[in-house]
Amino acid sequence: LQQAESQIIKELAAKGPCVIIGRCAGAILKERPNVLRVFIHADMESRRKRATEVYGQKKNPVDPILKKYDRRRANYYNFYSAQKWDSRLEYQMMLDSGQLGIDRCVDILEAPARNKPKKDLCPRHRSFFYAKPARHLQAEDAGLVRLLL
């Protein structure tokens, strides 16, 4: 499965700019010069609030559920990339969605595309987001976003 995901990620990157959330995309695309690796995180209180208000998580306490998902993400990333999931060395940018909010994180990630002069974009680069419009990104509070510029 991971080999198939890896191939799909490489194909998407070859087609042009896109956002890829998770799946070790930064490690898979490490040879590409135009990959911005971003780690989005939040404090536990912000994550609890988002889990209950946005995702409707009813189970109390929610901390064990959040920790379980963090462990799964870390194990997957550490196994398939041979790198540490939350290591600052693996990312060029880290955003605190608890402090900034999701919308502000999206604004920060969109800024390079909005400010790039049109003449510098080839026709295939005019479409910035491949899978979802930026406002619909559901970046996990402790998730990864890979942005190809």
Side-chain angles (χ1 to χ4, degrees):
L1 179 62
Q2 204 281 332
Q3 287 179 347
E5 290 175 346
S6 177
Q7 185 59 38
I8 290 167
I9 288 168
K10 288 176 183 177
E11 289 170 8
L12 290 173
K15 288 180 181 179
C18 59
V19 173
I20 303 171
I21 300 174
R23 313 321 299 170
C24 300
I28 292 166
L29 300 172
K30 67 183 173 197
E31 302 302 321
R32 292 183 62 99
N34 61 340
V35 175
L36 176 63
R37 293 180 308 276
V38 180
F39 188 85
I40 299 176
H41 62 94
D43 60 277
M44 191 56 85
E45 186 55 40
S46 297
R47 295 178 68 208
R48 278 186 211 108
K49 183 177 178 182
R50 185 164 173 79
T52 56
E53 292 177 7
V54 176
Y55 296 108
Q57 187 60 256
K58 304 276 191 256
K59 189 173 182 178
N60 284 324
V62 74
D63 290 17
I65 296 166
L66 295 173
K67 288 176 183 177
K68 178 176 87 173
Y69 282 110
D70 285 350
R71 264 192 318 275
R72 284 183 182 173
R73 286 185 188 104
N75 290 340
Y76 182 91
Y77 188 84
N78 298 348
F79 181 80
Y80 286 112
S81 72
Q83 300 166 1
K84 195 164 188 281
W85 174 61
D86 58 356
S87 170
R88 291 182 175 150
L89 300 175
E90 300 302 321
Y91 307 96
Q92 290 122 337
M93 183 185 300
M94 298 183 92
L95 299 174
D96 185 339
S97 64
Q99 293 291 316
L100 296 169
I102 297 296
D103 287 340
R104 184 69 182 123
C105 289
V106 170
D107 290 342
I108 290 167
L109 294 173
E110 280 184 325
R114 277 197 314 268
N115 297 326
K116 194 162 186 93
K118 296 268 190 237
K119 66 182 181 186
D120 292 344
L121 293 174
C122 70
R124 70 186 180 108
H125 291 147
R126 293 185 197 263
S127 171
F128 185 65
F129 292 97
Y130 175 77
K132 296 180 178 181
R135 294 285 171 212
H136 297 283
L137 285 177
Q138 293 189 353
E140 299 297 326
D141 289 331
L144 308 176
V145 175
R146 306 291 182 243
L147 177 64
L148 293 138
L149 300 172

